[in-house]
Amino acid sequence: MAEATAELGHDPEKCEAVFRKDHAQTRKSLALPGCKPEEQEMPRYFCQDNPAVYELETTVLDADAGRILLEQSPFYPGGGGQLADRGRLVSSRGVLEVTDFEVTDRGIWHYVQGTVDLSANVLAQVDRSFRDLMCELHTVSHVVNALVFQGFEGALVTGVQMSGDGTFRMDFDLPGIDNDRLQQLEAPMNEAIKAGYPVRQLYLPFQQASAEPGLLRSKALTPPAQADGTVRIIEITGLDRQACGGTHLASTDQARAIRILKIENKGRHNRRLKVGLQGSE
Ligand SMILES: [Zn+2]
């Protein structure tokens, strides 16, 4: 599967365009803080409630050229800077590698190479090591985000992109700051990771979430509201909470320590941090 490595620029229009492109992967429309929930709806993915379930036996609901709709899917289809899962569908006809996903009102379509017996159940298998890496990167990105948000008075994220090599980059709207101050956050970030803050999800009414400062922190990270009008919040209890649609670890100390590998100025406003997990550089 091709890894999304879209360039994120400092220009808000460009950022938005990249996010549209990112979300086009899931065929979902752009989520903007302030949009009425009824205008944008996000399906509740199985993996959001069950991030540690890597295998699921399920029923094929429909299939057409090269794609299969499952009754329930354990896969994360990508979005919000987190790469789509990798994995396979195991059926009586053999093993089909999943190459892409499409989210529709009916559920998640799985693009595969080959055919499957429609009468049979399939075993959907998520590539565990890749999912775990994404959960680790995603959790650590919240810690990085939290420390920058707190250290620089509400600095907003303008883009994020995780990578399969154990690194991620994050863009912040931080005009006129000394990059050394950003670099100095590496130690407190690692202390926060080591502290073992629990990570949990909750759902808040969209209007309530909109009213809490910092909860809908960026266009790039805020998922659309659910069908019931709530928005999913990821809370690192004692450290941070913000709207997010991805998968995460259960505790920050399940992640490795990080290094801030690079800080780049992207225009007058944007600072881009490249962050790597220990051992990934
Ligand atoms: Zn997240």
Side-chain angles (χ1 to χ4, degrees), residues 8-56:
L8 295 174
H10 66 281
D11 176 326
E13 270 185 34
K14 194 178 166 195
C15 286
E16 194 162 298
V18 169
F19 184 56
R20 281 180 192 281
K21 190 178 161 204
D22 182 33
H23 253 232
Q25 196 185 359
T26 58
R27 313 299 193 264
K28 293 297 292 181
S29 53
L30 179 70
L32 286 171
C35 283
K36 291 177 186 154
E38 58 270 26
E39 289 170 358
Q40 318 247 356
E41 288 181 3
M42 184 183 190
R44 188 159 173 167
Y45 302 136
F46 176 88
C47 64
Q48 292 174 326
D49 297 322
N50 307 278
V53 174
Y54 306 96
E55 275 196 2
L56 194 66

Side-chain angles (χ1 to χ4, degrees), residues 121-199:
N121 282 1
V122 296
L123 184 65
Q125 292 181 324
V126 176
D127 180 325
R128 182 173 181 155
S129 63
F130 189 77
R131 160 69 70 77
D132 287 350
L133 177 62
M134 286 301 120
C135 288
E136 188 178 9
L137 287 170
H138 203 144
T139 304
V140 161
S141 78
H142 280 244
V143 174
V144 168
N145 188 343
L147 272 282
V148 173
F149 187 76
Q150 292 165 12
F152 292 91
E153 293 173 16
L156 293 178
V157 176
T158 51
V160 62
Q161 183 60 60
M162 292 159 220
S163 172
D165 65 2
T167 66
F168 67 92
R169 62 181 187 229
M170 211 160 197
D171 290 359
F172 293 94
D173 186 12
L174 281 171
I177 61 122
D178 180 353
N179 286 350
D180 287 345
R181 278 187 62 207
L182 264 179
Q183 187 71 44
Q184 283 162 13
L185 287 178
E186 185 185 278
M189 284 167 182
N190 279 320
E191 282 164 25
I193 290 168
K194 229 167 125 181
Y197 291 105
V199 183

Side-chain angles (χ1 to χ4, degrees), residues 80 82 138-139 141-142 162 221 232 234 242-248:
Q82 180 176 339
H138 203 144
T139 304
S141 78
H142 280 244
M162 292 159 220
L221 300 181
R232 182 173 184 252
I234 295 300
Q242 62 177 284
C244 182
T247 62
H248 309 80

